[in-house]
Structures are given as C-alpha cells and as structure tokens.
Amino acid sequence: MINRVSLRQTGRLFVTIAALICMLACQPKATPTPAISAQQTLDTAAEQIGVRLTVLSNLDVEDCPAASAQCYLAQLDLTLPAAMPADWRIYFSHISPIGWHDSELFELQHINGDLHKITVKTGQQVNAGQYRILFKGPNWLVSESGLFPNFIVEAPGLTPQVISATREVKRDGDPLARAAHVAAFETPQQRKRNPDDNMPLVDATWRFQQQSALQTLPLSASPRVLPSVQTSDWQSERRTLTNGISLPADSRNQATLSHFLTWFGLPLQNNGEAVLFTLDSTLGDEAYALTIQHEGIEIRAATEQGRFYALMTLAQLYRSSDTSLPLGSISDAPRYPLRGLHLDVARNFRSVAFVQRLLDVMAAVKLNTLHLHLADDEGWRLQIQDLPELTEVGGKRCLDLTEEHCLLPQLGAGVDPTSQVNGYYSREDYIGLLRYAAQRHIEVIPALDMPGHSRAAIVAMQARYRKLMQAEQSDAANQYYLSEPQDQSHYSSIQHYHDNTLNPCIDSTYAFVNKVLDEVQILHKEGVPLTRYHIGADETAGAWQDSPACQALIARQPELTEAKQLSAYFVEKVANMVSQRGMIPGAWSDGLSHANPRALPRPIQSNVWDTLFWGGSARTHDMANQGMQVVLSFPDMLYLDFPYESDPKEPGYYWGSRATDSEQIFQFMPANLPAHAEIWPDRMGNPYADKDPTPLKKPENIIGLQAQLWSETVRSDERAEYMLYPRLFSVAERAWHVAPWEQAYQAGRAYSAQTRHMDDTRIALRNADWWQFSNQLSNRWLPMLSEHQIAYRTPLPGAQVNDGRLYMTLPFAGLVAEYQLADSGWQTYLAPFDVGNRAVRVRVRARVPGSDHTSRVQQVQ
C-alpha cells in the first residue's frame, strides 16, 4: 500500500522541478562573453604598459659594477596594467651592458650587444601598479639619443609587440622624432659626464655670448661659390642671360647636367648662351678654368670631370632674380684627390632614394667618393649571389631569439622586419647606384667590415649551415661556415658582442672572403669597375684565445707566437687578396697599425680615425711617412654622427666629441694637424698639447679627407639628413679649398692653449670667411635643400633677456631670427625690445629665408 503523504511530496517535487526547468528555459539567453586570447592580452598590454627612463646622475656614483672607474645611476619606472600574458618578458636596447640593478621583483639581464631583458624573478608575483628598477652601467649617459626607443613585450608562443609608450614621436616645435619614455636631462648631475667635464652646457644664453661677435661682421658683395675657388678675378658688371645656357651637342650626360643646372635655377636650353668647352691638357684631372665675358662663356678643362665641376661653379654664380652672371674669371683645382663621405647603411639601413639625394648634393659641392659601409654586426645590406641568407637573415632585425629569420633587435630596432631600419640593396639596386654615382663623378668604395664587426655575416652563415645540414649537404654547409664549434674563447667587442669576429684560422673564412670579393667585383663590372675596396680591419680584443684552429695555426707559423697577433695576420692576408685582384685595399688605421708594413701591399689606403687630442696627428704622420695613402677621418670634426652641440637634445654618440658644428669643421686645418691643440679643447672641454712627436716628411701621401656618418642612433632617412646637413658643406669646403687664414705646417712645432701661433689677424680673417660662408648656406644651399624636401638641421639662435629687453643673435648670416611671447604668434626679430613682465615666457627659433624650415624651438630663461 503506497503512502499518500509520500505521493503528495513526490508530486510537489515534480512541480518544483518543472517550474525550475521552465524558469531556465523561458528566460532570454545571455550573450556569452568571448574569451580574451593570450595574444589580445599581450597586444593590449603593449598599449597600456607605462615606461619612464631617467638618468639620475653621472657624478660621484659609488660602487660601480665590474670595476668600472666611473658609472651612472639611472632608474626605470614600469607601470603594469591589470592583465599581462603569462611568463611575459620585456626586451630593450641600452648603450652599454647594465652591470648592477636593484629590484626585489625583477631580473635585468644583458643578452648580447646592447640587448637586455626584464623578467619577473622566480617565485615572485607582480600585480597592476608602478614599479621601479634602479641600475648602473659604465661611463656616463648625458644625451637623450643614448637611450633607445622601442621596448618590446613578449611571451612564449605569442607575437611580440613594441610598447607604445617607448615609440619615437614628434612634438610641436621640434623637427625630430624622439623616444617618448626618456626623461629630460636638466640637472648638472645628469648633463655632466664627470667632475672634469668642462664642456659648456648649451642654452640660448650661451649661444648669444658665442654668436655676438659675428653679428657686426660685414658681408662682401663679391661673387662666391661653395666650395670656394682657388683664384678669381671679378669685374663690377654682370651679364644678363635671356634664355639660360646651351652646351655643345656632343656633351656627355646631358640629362644629368640639366638636372643639376635646374637645381640652381639656371635654364639649359637650345637657344641659350653657348658655353664653349676647350680641352686644356695642362690642367689636372679635376681642375678647370672658367671665363665669363660679354663675348661668351668658356670652360677649359682636361677631363669630363673638370668640365662638370666648372658647370657646378657656373650654376652657383647664376642669379635667378635677374637672370645674370658676374663677369670675370676663375682658376680652380682641388686640395685633395679624395674628398669623401663614409655612409653607414649597416647599423640602420638607408633607402635608395636617400642615397641618390645624397649623391646629388655631394656632386654639387665637388665631393667625389662615397665609402659605403655595407655590413656590420647589425646588418648585411648587399645581395650576394648564392648566399641568400646574408640578406634574408642578416638584412633585417626583429625579435627572433633563434635568429633563424632575422638578427636580434639591436639599436632599438623594434619588431617590424619591414621598418625603415631594415632592408638591403638588391643587385639591381646596387648597380643602379654605381651608375648614378658615376654620372656624378663619384666613386663608390664598398666596405664589408671584418674580422670584427662581422656578426651579421656569422649569424647568416650559421642559418645557412643549419639549413644545408638538415638537407644532408655537409660539404656545402661547411664551405662558408664562419664559426668554429670548438672555440671556447670569451671576449666582448667594443659594442659588447661576444660572437661577432671572424676566425682567421679556418679555411672557410677565406673561402667566404673570396666569394664576397668575387661577387662585388662582378657587380662593379656591370656598373662601374671596382678600384678600391675597404676591408675594415677592426680588432676584437680577446678573440681566438681558446680556438684549437688558431692554436694549430700559431704552431705552424713561426712568425706567430700568440693569439693577439692574428688580427694583423688576417689584415695582411686579406689586404693582399684584394691587391692581387687589381684593387687598392683600404682599412681603418688601428687595424693597420698592428700589421707589419713590409707585409702589406702598396698602395694601401689608411683611414686615420684617432682623435687629435689622443695622438691623431702622430698616427697620420707615421702612416704617411711609411708610404700609405692616408685619408683624414678624425672623429673630432669629421664624425657627423656626433652631436652638433653639447645639449642633451642633440642626437648622436659623443665618445670623441660632444659638439661638432658646421663652424668647427670650417675651422679645420688639414695640412697642420698639431695646430688644433691651440684652438680646440679635448672632448671634455679641457686643453691639451701636441708637440708633433712624429714630424710629417711625406705630406703628398695624405690623399684625402673623409667625413663619417655612423648610424647607431640614426634610425631614419630624415634623421640622417639632419645629421649630414649643413655640416657636409663645411667638409666639402675644407676638402677642396685651402683657406688663406690656415697656418702652414712647421715640423716639430709645439702647440697648446698657451701658444699664440694663430694670432688675432688670422682669427679675424677666419671669422670673416666663416660669416661669408654661412651667408651662402642661408641664402643658397639651405633653401635649395628645402625645395628638394631634404630634412636638414637649422641651427638655433642665441637669445637673452636683460633688464626686461629681448636680445637675439644668429649662428649663420642671413637666417631670420623669430620669437614668440606667451601664446602669441611668431614674430620676426629686428632689434632689441621690451618684453614687459620678465616672467613672461619667451620662445625663440631661427628660420631659413624663403622657406618654412625652422630650428628647434627653445625657451629663453
């Protein structure tokens, strides 16, 4: 018999269950929240992570790491969002290895080169919030550009992203993009390198004091070109050209000539005034004579190159405002046969269009050599037949720690393999550039640096080795393998790499060198024959100490006793390989200085890059006396990757000079190197002496002058043009023209800040010459660069407020001084005036006449 109470209870239970089912079934369904992927978490974190990097002090920092005599103290502030991917890491570039850090939660590790990594310490947990890491590194940090952009956040299995807060951005009043996460350098502890640093910290007031003496110098109305001519004789009259000029029908490169004449506004037309070309075999290869009279225009030269330079001079003399030329004559020839620029496209790539624009400017100012630095640790930029890995792997940087697809993201490269810092010249690109240069009478000297600075090649050939070994092609894999697996040597290059140096003791190294030389020669045969090749010859202290192959080589070679001799062995061997191919080898002076002069071929080119205050004149004299072809390449005034001024906002490395502006380069006296101890300080702003311990006996062996644009901090074509111009014009002036105010060299004469060989008369002549030269820049060359969208630097004016009145000065004659009070518009400065309330904000800048191109804006204190 069934219990009725149980039936009633069971029935109620069924009703309750049914009601619940109905409630669930009858309610509208909620939209499910989509799961956030780990990649989305990382991407969002990259947008939200905050980064602030502040240099606290370079002075009196105690307990420096790794026995460094001096170090800086800095802090890295991180702001982490609520959501971060599991096992995240942050990678960033830093100028030198960080040797000490202080954080309970984070580990900071140097990986290779300038690459560092931040991770959470094992067992620690971090949440959303702000965190600070203090750290120290060797030497000093006094410039914004020494702190790299593009920090990268990464996690296993995810696509890494650049942290937005560390990208470079442009701000109002500044022509340059700057890393957004870098704090300003404002205190003496931040801006001075050490207690002995006496370089002035540049501001508007300092510029005012330096520029004041120039403002009253007169400007001559006599015609002048850049670079200045050897001799000239001008009449007071000018001649009007109704239809421009015409050239003989058989003139070569008519299209190129028309291109340049159009640059200067001089029309080239069939009905123009005929220019007579006369062959004069008594003149040198690049020399010319130009005569402009009512009866006609005549150019005398021995070569096509001489005629080209004469036309560059003629075009500058043309005044488009009244379509006229001055009447008179010129006799002109260059100071040096080699007048060049070294362009580093390896650290950060430069586009074909950039190089073409550069070649145009070089030709217009009679520079004739482009030393193209095509390979280094951070990039290989030239396509080589049968070795695609050199450019497929070595031609780009991204975050691939295996380096199967790209190199490590050194120098703040970021993660995008297609960005402007990456790339290479295809065979067609390179041949096209050779021909473009030849049409402008410019020789391209290729440079693929070795044995040091070779990491891009080494990593690329490792990738080739792995690929071929997987295909069971061991002979091919080993053919160009640049590593010795048994080599246990520990070293650190000057750029802090531990794996960037070719092994001079294995056969595959020389097989690789021969292959590269073969292919480069083939490229030049299709473009322009190769006559000079630069091998680099940089050294790496400590390399090969524990290399079995090198120990065996030393045992076989009686002239070798220790590993440090192997760099010279390599340089001697490769220099002779180049020479045997009919080319003149070139190398940097430090590598050549350790080689046996009798084992080197002749001729051989030496680029002397010792600073003058560290014995550059003695090194130059010694190598010229040995019979080498010396090319002056001093960092003091010829490294255009150094800052224009000792201002933390001016970009560039500064190990050799913290201030190299256009006027200093203009002051350079190439024929009397010791004399600069009298007029310039060392890199710390302190006096030095040069007693000329190695007198120059063979000045004829100094064949040229070359400026250098290294590119560690130059991540864009625009930044490269900022660093090049207008300084390159001063380089061209000194390479071509001997100024009358230069002091003649006297063997054995000593110079210092106390000597007075450069007397007041010479200084006055030099200042007047500079003021006239700068007026050319302001009124001819800088407006022309503006017209062609070339991103040059306009120098800043000087300014100060005294007794409530604003005073301004200009660094170049012909620039326009402008000011802004509070939030008013920009006004042209004409004379001192009362600015009223002394606390009012005053901002100043300089503008190039006839253009919108201005300097960086600076506030007057």
Side-chain angles (χ1 to χ4, degrees):
M1 184 177 181
I2 299 174
N3 189 308
R4 295 186 181 187
V5 174
S6 297
L7 284 172
R8 286 196 297 268
Q9 290 174 338
T10 301
R12 292 193 191 104
L13 180 61
F14 283 139
V15 171
T16 302
I17 292 172
L20 287 171
I21 292 171
C22 182
M23 287 176 62
L24 293 172
C26 297
Q27 285 187 2
K29 294 183 178 179
T31 302
T33 302
I36 298 176
S37 70
Q39 185 64 56
Q40 288 174 312
T41 300
L42 184 142
D43 295 348
T44 302
E47 295 296 323
Q48 295 178 346
I49 294 172
V51 179
R52 190 67 169 169
L53 192 50
T54 306
V55 176
L56 300 175
S57 181
N58 298 290
L59 304 179
D60 302 321
V61 179
E62 298 179 346
D63 300 322
C64 292
S68 300
Q70 183 185 350
C71 60
Y72 60 83
L73 176 65
Q75 71 184 33
L76 176 62
D77 291 310
L78 291 176
T79 302
L80 300 179
M84 292 286 290
D87 197 21
W88 61 267
R89 286 84 65 128
I90 291 176
Y91 293 88
F92 67 100
S93 291
H94 194 69
I95 191 170
S96 60
I98 295 172
W100 172 91
H101 69 280
D102 181 25
S103 173
E104 294 181 357
L105 298 175
F106 299 101
E107 193 68 51
L108 198 159
Q109 176 188 359
H110 172 240
I111 297 175
N112 201 0
D114 59 46
L115 192 64
H116 291 71
K117 178 173 70 171
I118 300 171
T119 55
V120 179
K121 288 184 177 179
T122 302
Q124 296 292 341
Q125 178 69 36
V126 295
N127 302 308
Q130 295 183 347
Y131 300 92
R132 174 166 292 173
I133 304 173
L134 295 174
F135 64 90
K136 299 176 186 177
N139 299 320
W140 45 73
L141 284 173
V142 295
S143 170
E144 292 180 6
S145 65
L147 302 171
F148 289 96
N150 299 326
F151 284 41
I152 301 165
V153 60
E154 186 256 4
L158 303 180
T159 301
Q161 299 292 339
V162 169
I163 296 173
S164 294
T166 65
R167 294 183 184 276
E168 291 183 302
V169 296
K170 270 194 174 182
R171 295 187 173 92
D172 181 48
D174 193 336
L176 295 178
R178 299 180 186 274
H181 67 291
V182 177
F185 290 72
E186 297 175 331
T187 68
Q189 289 77 15
Q190 294 172 306
R191 293 161 61 97
K192 291 178 72 69
R193 288 165 285 181
N194 61 36
D196 297 325
D197 187 351
N198 288 309
M199 284 296 293
L201 301 177
V202 171
D203 58 16
T205 301
W206 181 89
R207 292 190 192 92
F208 180 86
Q209 295 167 350
Q210 295 298 306
Q211 296 166 6
S212 292
L214 298 172
Q215 309 303 301
T216 58
L217 292 176
L219 292 172
S220 170
S222 179
R224 178 165 178 166
V225 297
L226 191 164
S228 299
V229 300
Q230 196 172 65
T231 62
S232 60
D233 182 18
W234 299 111
Q235 303 170 27
S236 58
E237 296 180 74
R238 297 185 69 87
R239 178 180 177 191
T240 300
L241 298 181
T242 305
N243 298 307
I245 63 171
S246 65
L247 301 177
D250 60 349
S251 298
R252 296 178 59 191
N253 295 327
Q254 286 268 8
T256 301
L257 294 174
S258 177
H259 169 81
F260 278 102
L261 296 174
T262 302
W263 262 44
F264 292 101
L266 176 57
L268 181 61
Q269 302 181 139
N270 291 333
N271 62 345
E273 174 67 32
V275 176
L276 175 64
F277 286 162
T278 301
L279 178 65
D280 188 340
S281 58
T282 66
L283 296 175
D285 286 347
E286 299 177 297
Y288 66 90
L290 170 64
T291 304
I292 307 170
Q293 296 296 336
H294 284 299
E295 296 77 18
I297 302 169
E298 182 187 17
I299 290 173
R300 290 188 293 112
T303 63
E304 189 73 29
Q305 192 168 1
R307 288 193 286 272
F308 179 84
Y309 290 150
L311 286 170
M312 294 303 96
T313 296
L314 180 69
Q316 287 188 63
L317 293 170
Y318 179 72
R319 194 165 66 192
S320 57
S321 59
D322 61 0
T323 66
S324 70
L325 287 169
L327 297 183
S329 60
I330 286 173
S331 178
D332 200 13
R335 170 184 221 149
Y336 292 122
L338 190 154
R339 306 174 302 281
L341 172 70
H342 167 280
L343 179 66
D344 173 11
V345 300
R347 269 61 176 268
N348 286 300
F349 188 60
R350 299 279 78 86
S351 69
V352 169
F354 170 90
V355 179
Q356 289 175 335
R357 291 195 301 272
L358 172 62
L359 290 167
D360 282 345
V361 177
M362 290 176 63
V365 294
K366 306 180 177 74
L367 294 173
N368 66 358
T369 306
L370 179 63
H371 177 169
L372 206 52
H373 188 77
L374 291 160
D376 211 293
D377 296 324
E378 297 83 9
W380 183 284
R381 309 300 184 181
L382 181 62
Q383 184 180 24
I384 298 296
Q385 188 75 25
D386 303 322
L387 298 179
E389 296 83 4
L390 284 172
T391 47
E392 291 174 359
V393 176
K396 57 182 181 288
R397 301 198 295 275
C398 64
L399 188 61
D400 171 17
L401 299 181
T402 69
E403 295 188 284
E404 291 285 347
H405 307 291
C406 61
L407 303 176
L408 295 174
Q410 310 285 349
L411 304 173
V415 297
D416 182 3
T418 66
S419 72
Q420 198 172 145
V421 306
N422 294 312
Y424 64 90
Y425 302 121
S426 68
R427 293 171 55 83
E428 293 75 19
D429 290 336
Y430 188 70
I431 293 167
L433 286 175
L434 293 178
R435 292 171 177 168
Y436 195 91
Q439 290 167 358
R440 287 147 180 80
H441 303 282
I442 294 173
E443 178 183 6
V444 175
I445 301 177
L448 297 153
D449 217 345
M450 54 186 72
H453 293 273
S454 295
R455 189 173 189 275
I458 292 169
V459 171
M461 292 300 95
Q462 287 172 344
R464 178 181 183 274
Y465 175 86
R466 289 189 292 268
K467 180 175 68 176
L468 292 172
M469 288 298 287
Q470 289 175 359
E472 300 182 352
Q473 300 179 38
S474 60
D475 289 345
N478 284 289
Q479 184 178 10
Y480 302 121
Y481 191 42
L482 302 177
S483 306
E484 182 190 10
Q486 296 77 26
D487 185 359
Q488 300 300 310
S489 303
H490 295 282
Y491 63 88
S492 179
S493 73
I494 193 66
Q495 279 84 24
H496 316 293
Y497 292 100
H498 55 72
D499 54 357
N500 77 330
T501 304
L502 300 181
N503 190 318
C505 309
I506 56 178
D507 293 339
S508 53
T509 291
Y510 299 102
F512 176 80
V513 173
N514 268 310
K515 171 65 174 176
V516 169
L517 287 174
D518 284 344
E519 296 301 329
V520 172
Q521 277 196 294
I522 290 171
L523 289 171
H524 276 259
K525 286 177 181 177
E526 295 185 35
V528 179
L530 182 60
T531 60
R532 289 178 186 263
Y533 178 88
H534 206 278
I535 65 176
D538 289 286
E539 299 183 307
T540 306
W544 321 308
Q545 292 288 343
D546 295 313
S547 160
C550 289
Q551 292 168 359
L553 177 66
I554 291 170
R556 294 195 307 269
Q557 299 285 347
E559 70 273 16
L560 297 175
T561 58
E562 53 185 339
K564 68 179 183 180
Q565 297 172 313
L566 291 169
S567 179
Y569 170 86
F570 177 88
V571 169
E572 293 162 11
K573 187 168 183 175
V574 174
N576 280 287
M577 288 166 60
V578 172
S579 181
Q580 288 162 10
R581 293 168 178 268
M583 301 178 287
I584 298 174
W588 298 103
S589 55
D590 58 334
L592 290 178
S593 66
H594 298 295
N596 179 357
R598 292 183 297 277
L600 292 170
R602 290 293 189 274
I604 189 168
Q605 173 183 319
S606 173
N607 287 83
V608 178
W609 67 283
D610 306 65
T611 60
L612 291 179
F613 54 82
W614 280 338
S617 64
R619 177 66 60 84
T620 301
H621 294 175
D622 178 55
M623 290 192 159
N625 292 343
Q626 289 181 33
M628 297 184 188
Q629 294 184 353
V630 173
V631 178
L632 307 179
S633 308
F634 306 118
D636 315 46
M637 78 303 296
L638 293 173
Y639 271 33
L640 304 187
D641 56 301
F642 286 172
Y644 281 87
E645 297 177 318
S646 54
D647 181 339
K649 287 195 169 298
E650 285 298 334
Y653 277 173
Y654 44 86
W655 61 264
S657 170
R658 202 176 169 194
T660 302
D661 64 10
S662 302
E663 185 177 1
Q664 180 183 353
I665 300 171
F666 184 87
Q667 294 175 357
F668 181 40
M669 297 177 287
N672 189 355
L673 301 178
H676 298 91
E678 186 175 281
I679 62 173
W680 292 342
D682 66 12
R683 64 175 181 165
M684 289 293 175
N686 299 313
Y688 74 97
D690 191 330
K691 298 181 180 180
D692 192 20
T694 309
L696 179 62
K697 300 176 182 177
K698 298 181 178 180
E700 66 276 9
N701 288 334
I702 299 177
I703 66 163
L705 183 155
Q706 176 181 281
Q708 282 65 229
L709 181 63
W710 301 101
S711 69
E712 288 96 331
T713 64
V714 184
R715 283 175 290 278
S716 68
D717 290 355
E718 183 181 46
R719 176 71 63 91
E721 290 175 341
Y722 180 97
M723 303 304 284
L724 282 169
Y725 310 115
R727 292 188 287 195
L728 191 63
F729 297 120
S730 293
V731 173
E733 178 78 0
R734 289 286 69 85
W736 181 275
H737 180 66
V738 182
W741 44 262
E742 294 185 44
Q743 298 181 67
Y745 173 73
Q746 294 186 27
R749 173 183 272 186
Y751 293 87
S752 71
Q754 286 72 45
T755 58
R756 292 284 296 163
H757 303 300
M758 188 74 170
D759 57 26
D760 292 340
T761 299
R762 287 187 182 275
I763 292 173
L765 287 172
R766 185 190 68 194
N767 290 345
D769 193 21
W770 158 253
W771 201 234
Q772 198 78 22
F773 177 85
S774 72
N775 191 53
Q776 282 183 283
L777 297 181
S778 298
N779 288 290
R780 165 70 84 174
W781 291 95
L782 299 187
M784 191 164 69
L785 295 183
S786 292
E787 183 180 343
H788 290 85
Q789 288 79 51
I790 293 175
Y792 59 91
R793 177 186 185 267
T794 301
L796 280 73
Q800 65 179 18
V801 176
N802 283 339
D803 297 327
R805 292 175 66 79
L806 175 66
Y807 298 80
M808 291 187 69
T809 55
L810 288 165
F812 290 3
L815 292 179
V816 179
E818 296 185 335
Y819 66 91
Q820 184 185 59
L821 302 179
D823 294 323
S824 64
W826 285 97
Q827 305 291 322
T828 300
Y829 174 86
L830 299 174
F833 68 97
D834 192 349
V835 297
N837 182 358
R838 295 187 188 185
V840 70
R841 186 181 72 171
V842 180
R843 303 203 308 164
V844 297
R845 69 185 186 186
R847 182 171 56 80
V848 173
S851 79
D852 295 328
H853 208 288
T854 67
S855 70
R856 171 166 52 89
V857 173
Q858 188 166 48
Q859 188 164 331
V860 182
Q861 300 299 321

